[in-house]
Amino acid sequence: MKHDAALDSIDLAILAELQNDARLPNKELAERLGVAPSTSLERVRSLRRRGVITGFRATVDTARLGRPLQALLALRVRPHASRLVDPLRAFVLALPETITLFHVAGPQDLLVHVAVADADHLHRLVLEKFLVRQEIVHLETTLIFKTEHQPVQRPSEM
């Protein structure tokens, strides 16, 4: 599959550097790339304009926020219709425990990545927030022992 943004080696190097450290000053970025600071700045602006870079964010350790236990909640919604899914998505995203929401294909309809204080908190969240909703007909909980992220996203080589 071909990606829709024409990226050259400088663009790819910028993306790798900024994914490793989004706070990297432009002057240092330019030095690492071997280009002028003005070139670096314009390239980053172009990547943002084209939607390749969608934002910059701080990564937060949920354990240090008092939420060390993480889980995936797999939800089946019936009927699987926008009139039910859209308000449910808004509800899930408004919960402070929610990290990420995935709308998926397959036996489940939504996967919700949550972080909570402990097993008791997770139990209450499932029973008191999710299973009281009529549109959720099935819920499976999977505990997460460890999370690892691919630090740099690149275009597919296929």
Side-chain angles (χ1 to χ4, degrees):
M1 174 180 255
K2 189 171 169 99
H3 49 86
D4 61 0
L7 303 172
D8 64 16
S9 61
I10 293 173
D11 291 331
L12 294 173
I14 288 170
L15 292 173
E17 292 293 342
L18 292 179
Q19 287 179 86
N20 281 318
D21 182 1
R23 296 184 67 196
L24 188 64
N26 184 60
K27 184 177 177 183
E28 189 174 336
L29 176 62
E31 287 173 10
R32 289 184 186 186
L33 300 173
V35 300
S38 59
T39 300
S40 171
L41 185 60
E42 182 48 41
R43 290 296 192 104
V44 171
R45 286 179 179 159
S46 173
L47 290 166
R48 291 192 69 187
R49 244 187 340 269
R50 293 185 287 159
V52 178
I53 295 175
T54 58
F56 299 91
R57 65 183 56 94
T59 303
V60 176
D61 183 345
T62 55
R64 293 193 182 260
L65 296 177
R67 298 166 41 203
L69 182 66
Q70 294 186 31
L72 286 176
L73 307 180
L75 312 177
R76 193 171 310 139
V77 179
R78 292 296 176 263
H80 189 169
S82 292
R83 67 181 171 77
L84 293 178
V85 173
D86 290 346
L88 179 59
R89 285 176 48 239
F91 167 78
V92 169
L93 289 171
L95 294 171
E97 294 89 353
T98 300
I99 295 174
T100 310
L101 170 65
F102 301 95
H103 192 172
V104 299
Q108 309 305 333
D109 300 311
L110 300 172
L111 293 176
V112 185
H113 180 191
V114 298
V116 294
D118 52 33
D120 212 37
H121 184 159
L122 180 60
H123 186 236
R124 286 192 320 275
L125 178 69
V126 167
L127 290 178
E128 297 171 10
K129 300 288 184 178
F130 284 93
L131 291 179
V132 296
R133 297 192 59 106
Q134 298 281 324
E135 68 270 42
I136 298 174
V137 297
H138 183 78
L139 185 147
E140 290 180 27
T141 303
T142 303
L143 291 180
I144 298 171
F145 293 131
K146 186 175 183 177
T147 302
E148 297 183 62
H149 297 277
Q150 177 63 271
V152 177
Q153 298 301 311
R154 302 168 203 66
S156 174
E157 294 182 8
M158 298 175 95

